[in-house]
Amino acid sequence: VTTRRLRDVGEHRWIAGLVRRLHDDMAASGRVLVGPGDDAAVLRASRRPLVLTVDTLVEGVHFRAGWASPRTIGRQAFRVNASDLAAMGATPVAALLALEAPGDTPVATVDGLAAGVAADARALGAALVGGNVTAGRALAVTVTLVGDAGPRLARRAGARPGDRLFVTGSFGARAAAVRSLLAGRRVRWPLAPVRVEAGRRLAAIASAMIDVSDGLLQDLGHVCRASGVAAVVDAARVPVAAGCRRVYGAAAVAHALTGGEDYELLVAVPPRRLRALAALRARLGCPLTEIGRMVAGRPAVHVPGAAWARGAGGFDHFR
Ligand SMILES: [Mg+2]
């Protein structure tokens, strides 16, 4: 059996097949007036402001061949974008997928990538409404998301001294898995969590919010700079994923705070809204843990008793 490759099928035939498979999603979404297959997609506007974001996963940078199925990589490409919308309190409505792939890429690979994006979009009531495919040297998956703002938008700016700091879920699992995979161990490449519902609800009471993609300390630093305040983190209270403890042992906490790719939400809550927070906790769909507070001072993140945290950054593509 010979593998069908992108160059055998060609751009137009591959897109035509994909468009047919997406047909039911368009019918199910009340927002899509023109779906894939025309020059551009057309969405019905809602009364809420639109929230837009884009992110790319590149083979050799974000993942390596064989780490995960194409479908899983497609789902991850959707989820890293959904995480940015969640951090604003927004909900995905429509996705665009831009693929860059070498001509010898199996058709099954690009089919899987597109199916993964469409599946996770569908699970949140959103639809894959269009995209582009182009020849390139490496596989690169770019997803653009259009979302509806929730009742209240959360920003990185707005945290005040005295606000309490909370995080969803746990930290360090993805960084630990990538370390194991790079060492040649066969472990699962974990998918980012979906925190859209939590983000929508937390935005209603947050003074500031961000999703943790580059490391908890680094992303908290972004909140501090945007808000003009400092933060104190109690490292002992940060929820460390079991997989991170297994891989890093005594250094697990340090890796959980700096590893990145957690896609959990970090939220500052004013003291006067703590009762409202207690009331919505059970409806977030995930654990929420208090890890510190905002304090007056020059923008900086302090981790008392942790010498490793001084000057500890997170992930930076160009350093
Ligand atoms: Mg973000």
Side-chain angles (χ1 to χ4, degrees):
V1 182
T2 54
T3 305
R4 282 204 319 154
R5 303 194 182 268
L6 212 39
R7 72 158 69 87
D8 307 327
V9 174
E11 174 189 347
H12 300 290
R13 249 177 75 203
W14 181 69
I15 291 173
L18 177 62
V19 166
R20 277 194 299 276
R21 290 194 294 282
L22 292 172
H23 186 266
D24 288 351
D25 287 8
M26 300 309 117
S29 165
R31 296 286 293 279
V32 183
L33 296 175
V34 178
D38 215 306
D39 293 300
V42 182
L43 299 180
R44 193 188 306 280
S46 82
R47 284 177 196 192
R48 303 237 188 248
L50 289 175
V51 184
L52 296 98
T53 188
V54 62
D55 216 330
T56 303
L57 298 185
V58 181
E59 182 170 358
V61 178
H62 300 93
F63 64 92
R64 302 224 174 142
W67 279 9
S69 68
R71 184 184 165 88
T72 297
I73 293 163
R75 295 179 69 192
Q76 180 74 358
F78 176 86
R79 287 178 177 214
V80 300
N81 281 284
S83 179
D84 278 324
L85 291 192
M88 309 291 289
T91 305
V93 171
L96 296 170
L97 168 64
L99 280 176
E100 198 175 309
D104 62 358
T105 305
V107 171
T109 299
V110 284
D111 280 348
L113 288 166
V117 174
D120 271 16
R122 196 182 304 127
L124 290 174
L128 176 56
V129 296
N132 185 55
V133 59
T134 178
R137 257 182 255 174
L139 194 58
V141 189
T142 300
V143 171
T144 301
L145 280 189
V146 179
D148 280 339
R152 191 164 171 270
L153 270 177
R155 305 276 311 270
R156 296 176 178 191
R160 308 301 326 146
D163 289 355
R164 310 285 190 83
L165 266 178
F166 295 84
V167 290
T168 58
S170 67
F171 288 78
R174 289 187 56 77
V178 166
R179 180 182 159 122
S180 296
L181 286 162
L182 286 171
R185 284 193 287 280
R186 289 178 62 91
V187 300
R188 210 168 51 88
W189 191 65
L191 272 172
V194 176
R195 300 297 186 222
V196 169
E197 181 62 19
R200 206 178 62 83
R201 292 185 183 276
L202 288 170
I205 55 156
S207 58
M209 186 151 65
I210 192 169
D211 68 314
V212 177
S213 52
D214 298 333
L216 202 161
L217 296 186
Q218 178 156 307
D219 286 320
L220 177 52
H222 293 318
V223 172
C224 289
R225 276 186 294 281
S227 299
V229 293
V232 179
V233 171
D234 183 349
R237 295 177 77 170
V238 173
V240 179
C244 184
R245 289 202 188 280
R246 255 194 318 276
V247 170
Y248 289 111
V253 175
H255 283 276
L257 269 74
T258 58
E261 289 205 52
D262 301 293
Y263 300 105
E264 296 290 356
L265 298 174
L266 172 66
V267 57
V269 180
R272 68 175 186 285
R273 299 217 179 103
L274 288 175
R275 283 176 77 171
L277 175 66
L280 60 77
R281 244 185 141 106
R283 280 170 293 170
L284 297 178
C286 61
L288 188 76
T289 308
E290 186 170 352
I291 62 158
R293 63 202 152 83
M294 309 307 290
V295 295
R298 281 190 312 143
V301 178
H302 306 287
V303 189
W308 52 262
R310 223 158 293 143
F315 185 76
D316 183 319
H317 270 279
F318 301 103
R319 277 193 356 225

